[in-house]
Amino acid sequence: MRVEKDKKADKKRSAFRGYTGGKLRAFLILAFAAVYVLSMLLATWVDQLGRQKDYWGKIVKIEQGIWDNMRYKAQAERISADDTAEGAGDDWQIHKLYEEVTVAALVNSTEYQRISAAVYDADGNLAAKSTNLLTAEVEDETGTATVSWPLSDYLSDEEIETLAGYEGENYEPHEYAGVTYEIKAAKTAVGNGLGAISVRRLFYSTEDVKEAGNIGPAWQWENMDQKETDPADRAQDSVRENDSISDAALNRLQNVACYFPGMEQNRGIDGWHEWMAEEYLQNYPETYSEPRFLYSSGGLVRQTETSAQLFLGEDYNVPDYTLVIRSVEYPWKEAFDSLKNIYLWGGALTLLSAGLVLWIVEKTFRRRAILEERQRDFTNAIAHEMKTPLAVIRGFAENLEENTNEEKRKYYLEQIIGQTEQMDDMVKEMVFISRLDSGEYRPVKEPVSVRELIGELHSTYDTQIEEKQIEVRISCGEDLGISGDKRFLKKAFGNLIANAVDHNRYEGKINIDIEKDRCVIENTGEKISPEDLPRVCELFYTGDKSRGGQEKHLGVGLYLADRIFRAYRMKLKIANTEDGVQVTVEI
């Protein structure tokens, strides 16, 4: 029955490759996986909360920036002698607002937060919003004015895409400090409408010119509804090849700039495409009657809206405009990207911790299994070894009961006492082994001479040596001194000498060489089989039962000696020689 159980246990252990067991191992792995996932989710959640605060802080800065810029411009207008320096009436405010809200969307939009803004007048009507914009400075008899043109009012979607492509190339890195394409514009002959746009490739070396082959306009657009008709422009540029836009008209506007929201932050044309895909950033209502001072949706993708009043005049009772800022935010995505290294290191640390715990548990279970197996072996070995002395004691006790001869009674009593002493020695050895295995034993430090120890042991085994007529030779070049407990060291060396005597042949030899750092004991007995040699120091391992002629030992002698020597940081080596077995104890 026990054999079948052992086979089942071995089969189960083999299936799971260990002593831990599949269920416990799976539980530990799942527990570590759950801890890892939950801790990473918690870290990501905390991080994304911080991102939300950063997004809100950016919105506040944008709001304050637009406020400051518009207030500064309004103050400059008030102290200017000519109130129409930026155009007729308050048109400069609309142009400036278009530029402010578009630049805010351009500069502040990132992969994880895309910004747009809109401005409503005092009546709640939409006055300006973030859009694809072209701005320029217009000079007339009254001075210089900045004009803003929403491209969607003039160009088709395909034309805006083309122009954005050229502007996107200006954001790409190249070997020259300047831009790749120069964008110029012209206004209509009548009014301040957008009349034309011209894109020209800039060349910084003759090699670039040769490679391009064409130095003309790369792309141009002209407002066919209000085509340029200014005679002065045509007089300065009498020949218009390929019906190109006159240079005079293009040079009339200075500081031409194209703004495509989302194209900043090293994102280029891809960032613009992402911004354009967000309808929430573009679809502002035509009227705005109920300002939201803070509104934000939850979820993985957040939509935030806030509004503020702009006072450009000196009357702070009635606001001139209402500024609305919208934001599409990806806090979870940014938190995930920012914590990628944390995920990797956390995963590696979790795997390391899980492996370490599994190893410790496996080691613990393995040790427990070995102890249980050793306990079974111990019980079986003790029961087996106790049979002989108990049988002898029983036999002599029965003889003692039947025989009243005084001389035989004395002999029987001596044998009984001898058998009980043998059993007592066996029990003491087991107790000492138990102390060593449990770690309760603490080595005692006292100087011990191995030469004196060997001399005492030699006299102890004189009777056995004389019976086998063994020749013992002891040589000592320099004594081996050990700091330890003499009782246990004597027990260890005694076990070695006992084995050398017991397993020696008749009229054999024992050579004992003592040196400063080692003691070598060699006999001329039977050799140890190669398969038994690595295991002779294992507890309860007796090896070949025929060695020595009979099974006389419990299998603890060499184990006990090895454990004692290891307690004093010494090493026990056992090897076969040509004539027998050699045992070496070295520091």
Side-chain angles (χ1 to χ4, degrees):
M1 187 68 178
R2 178 176 292 276
V3 175
E4 293 180 359
K5 288 184 178 180
D6 291 342
K7 288 183 178 180
K8 289 182 179 179
D10 292 339
K11 186 177 181 181
K12 182 178 180 181
R13 187 180 306 119
S14 176
F16 293 103
R17 296 184 181 180
Y19 292 84
T20 305
K23 291 183 179 180
L24 179 58
R25 184 174 297 181
F27 172 78
L28 291 174
I29 292 174
L30 290 176
F32 273 97
V35 170
Y36 169 75
V37 172
L38 291 176
S39 60
M40 292 301 103
L41 283 176
L42 179 60
T44 307
W45 178 73
V46 173
D47 189 271
Q48 67 90 24
L49 289 179
R51 305 293 175 183
Q52 293 182 31
K53 294 179 66 176
D54 294 340
Y55 298 157
W56 173 243
K58 181 185 288 188
I59 292 174
V60 172
K61 289 182 179 179
I62 294 172
E63 179 183 298
Q64 188 63 43
I66 294 175
W67 166 276
D68 292 340
N69 291 339
M70 292 303 298
R71 287 284 296 171
Y72 175 80
K73 187 66 177 177
Q75 185 177 8
E77 285 296 315
R78 284 197 298 271
I79 63 177
S80 174
D82 189 354
D83 290 338
T84 61
E86 293 279 344
D90 288 336
D91 287 347
W92 70 268
Q93 294 181 355
I94 303 301
H95 291 289
K96 185 63 177 175
L97 287 171
Y98 261 111
E99 182 181 12
E100 287 292 330
V101 296
T102 300
V103 169
L106 169 67
V107 173
N108 294 284
S109 292
T110 66
E111 179 182 359
Y112 307 107
Q113 184 185 24
R114 298 177 189 123
I115 299 291
S116 73
V119 178
Y120 292 84
D121 60 21
D123 297 327
N125 298 317
L126 182 63
K129 68 175 183 177
S130 302
T131 186
N132 302 307
L133 194 70
L134 187 145
T135 65
E137 291 183 354
V138 178
E139 292 186 3
D140 55 22
E141 63 279 359
T142 61
T144 302
T146 299
V147 180
S148 299
W149 292 290
L151 294 177
S152 58
D153 292 348
Y154 299 91
L155 278 66
S156 66
D157 293 341
E158 292 77 10
E159 290 169 335
I160 294 175
E161 177 79 27
T162 301
L163 183 60
Y166 288 112
E167 182 67 11
E169 291 192 37
N170 288 335
Y171 286 98
E172 295 180 0
H174 50 78
E175 57 182 315
Y176 304 112
V179 297
T180 304
Y181 291 96
E182 179 185 39
I183 300 177
K184 289 190 175 183
K187 70 181 186 66
T188 55
V190 179
N192 284 329
L194 180 60
I197 302 174
S198 177
V199 179
R200 186 181 296 272
R201 170 76 182 273
L202 296 179
F203 300 100
Y204 296 93
S205 66
T206 55
E207 288 77 8
D208 290 344
V209 177
K210 293 178 181 179
E211 182 180 350
N214 176 25
I215 60 174
W219 180 83
Q220 59 183 10
W221 169 87
E222 191 168 4
N223 189 341
M224 303 306 296
D225 295 335
Q226 300 185 41
K227 204 168 183 179
E228 118 182 64
T229 57
D230 193 335
D233 293 339
R234 293 194 178 276
Q236 296 180 30
D237 189 12
S238 58
V239 179
R240 298 183 65 189
E241 297 180 1
N242 300 324
D243 197 30
S244 63
I245 304 166
S246 67
D247 289 338
L250 295 174
N251 291 331
R252 186 180 297 278
L253 298 182
Q254 301 297 317
N255 297 326
V256 176
C258 283
Y259 300 117
F260 294 93
M263 197 173 284
E264 275 277 355
Q265 300 290 344
N266 299 321
R267 300 276 296 155
I269 193 71
D270 293 335
W272 175 69
H273 282 146
E274 293 173 356
W275 190 92
M276 291 294 294
E278 299 287 356
E279 295 184 0
Y280 178 72
L281 300 178
Q282 304 169 60
N283 296 335
Y284 285 92
E286 291 298 323
T287 59
Y288 196 79
S289 57
E290 297 181 2
R292 298 179 181 179
F293 292 100
L294 177 61
Y295 167 79
S296 182
S297 64
L300 298 179
V301 181
R302 295 169 53 86
Q303 294 181 345
T304 300
E305 179 179 309
T306 185
S307 61
Q309 296 175 333
L310 296 181
F311 298 89
L312 302 185
E314 296 183 353
D315 185 3
Y316 284 87
N317 294 319
V318 179
D320 297 273
Y321 297 98
T322 298
L323 172 65
V324 179
I325 299 177
R326 285 182 174 181
S327 172
V328 176
E329 303 158 358
Y330 298 82
W332 285 95
K333 184 176 185 295
E334 184 174 8
F336 178 81
D337 290 344
S338 66
L339 294 177
K340 282 182 178 179
N341 289 334
I342 301 298
Y343 296 151
L344 292 176
W345 284 106
L349 183 60
T350 301
L351 287 176
L352 181 62
S353 301
L356 181 61
V357 170
L358 287 173
W359 177 77
I360 293 175
V361 173
E362 174 69 16
K363 185 178 179 181
T364 302
F365 276 69
R366 179 176 179 272
R367 184 175 181 182
R368 188 178 70 177
I370 292 174
L371 289 175
E372 290 176 354
E373 183 178 0
R374 184 174 294 174
Q375 185 177 11
R376 290 195 302 269
D377 293 341
F378 173 79
T379 303
N380 294 333
I382 287 294
H384 179 75
E385 290 295 322
M386 291 295 183
K387 281 183 180 180
T388 300
L390 287 174
V392 173
I393 292 173
R394 181 183 179 88
F396 283 117
E398 290 176 351
N399 292 334
L400 185 63
E401 184 180 14
E402 296 175 359
N403 200 322
T404 58
N405 187 292
E406 190 65 29
E407 292 182 1
K408 288 186 177 182
R409 286 175 59 87
K410 183 179 180 181
Y411 172 75
Y412 294 154
L413 289 173
E414 288 176 354
Q415 293 300 317
I416 291 173
I417 293 172
Q419 293 298 322
T420 56
E421 288 178 350
Q422 181 181 345
M423 294 174 63
D424 184 60
D425 290 340
M426 293 170 57
V427 172
K428 288 180 179 178
E429 283 188 347
M430 293 301 101
V431 172
F432 180 65
I433 289 173
S434 177
R435 290 180 61 194
L436 285 176
D437 290 338
S438 63
E440 295 179 1
Y441 173 67
R442 295 293 180 267
V444 177
K445 301 296 184 179
E446 61 176 306
V448 178
S449 171
V450 174
R451 179 171 55 187
E452 295 179 0
L453 205 61
I454 295 295
E456 294 177 8
L457 291 169
H458 178 268
S459 61
T460 303
Y461 292 94
D462 279 344
T463 303
Q464 294 93 321
I465 292 172
E466 289 178 1
E467 288 178 357
K468 286 190 173 184
Q469 296 185 12
I470 298 173
E471 179 185 347
V472 179
R473 184 185 64 84
I474 301 176
S475 63
C476 181
E478 185 176 352
D479 191 13
L480 172 59
I482 304 174
S483 179
D485 192 325
K486 184 176 181 179
R487 293 177 304 161
F488 297 133
L489 289 172
K490 188 174 182 178
K491 179 65 175 176
F493 280 102
N495 288 344
L496 300 183
I497 294 177
N499 281 340
V501 173
D502 292 342
H503 298 291
N504 210 330
R505 68 171 184 262
Y506 185 75
E507 293 183 348
K509 295 181 180 180
I510 297 177
N511 295 324
I512 302 175
D513 295 326
I514 303 173
E515 299 177 9
K516 181 179 180 179
D517 58 351
R518 70 179 60 190
C519 176
V520 180
I521 303 174
E522 184 176 344
N523 75 345
T524 54
E526 296 181 11
K527 297 181 181 180
I528 303 174
S529 63
E531 59 270 18
D532 290 337
L533 193 59
R535 303 185 60 190
V536 291
C537 291
E538 292 183 10
L539 182 62
F540 304 129
Y541 187 77
T542 57
D544 186 1
K545 305 300 182 184
S546 64
R547 186 172 180 260
Q550 56 182 337
E551 185 182 346
K552 302 187 297 181
H553 300 285
L554 183 60
V556 298
L558 290 177
Y559 172 80
L560 188 57
D562 181 59
R563 285 302 306 270
I564 292 174
F565 288 135
R566 281 193 285 127
Y568 293 107
R569 300 181 181 275
M570 303 178 71
K571 186 180 294 184
L572 175 64
K573 296 181 180 179
I574 302 174
N576 288 321
T577 63
E578 293 182 1
D579 298 325
V581 177
Q582 182 186 78
V583 177
T584 303
V585 180
E586 61 183 5
I587 298 177

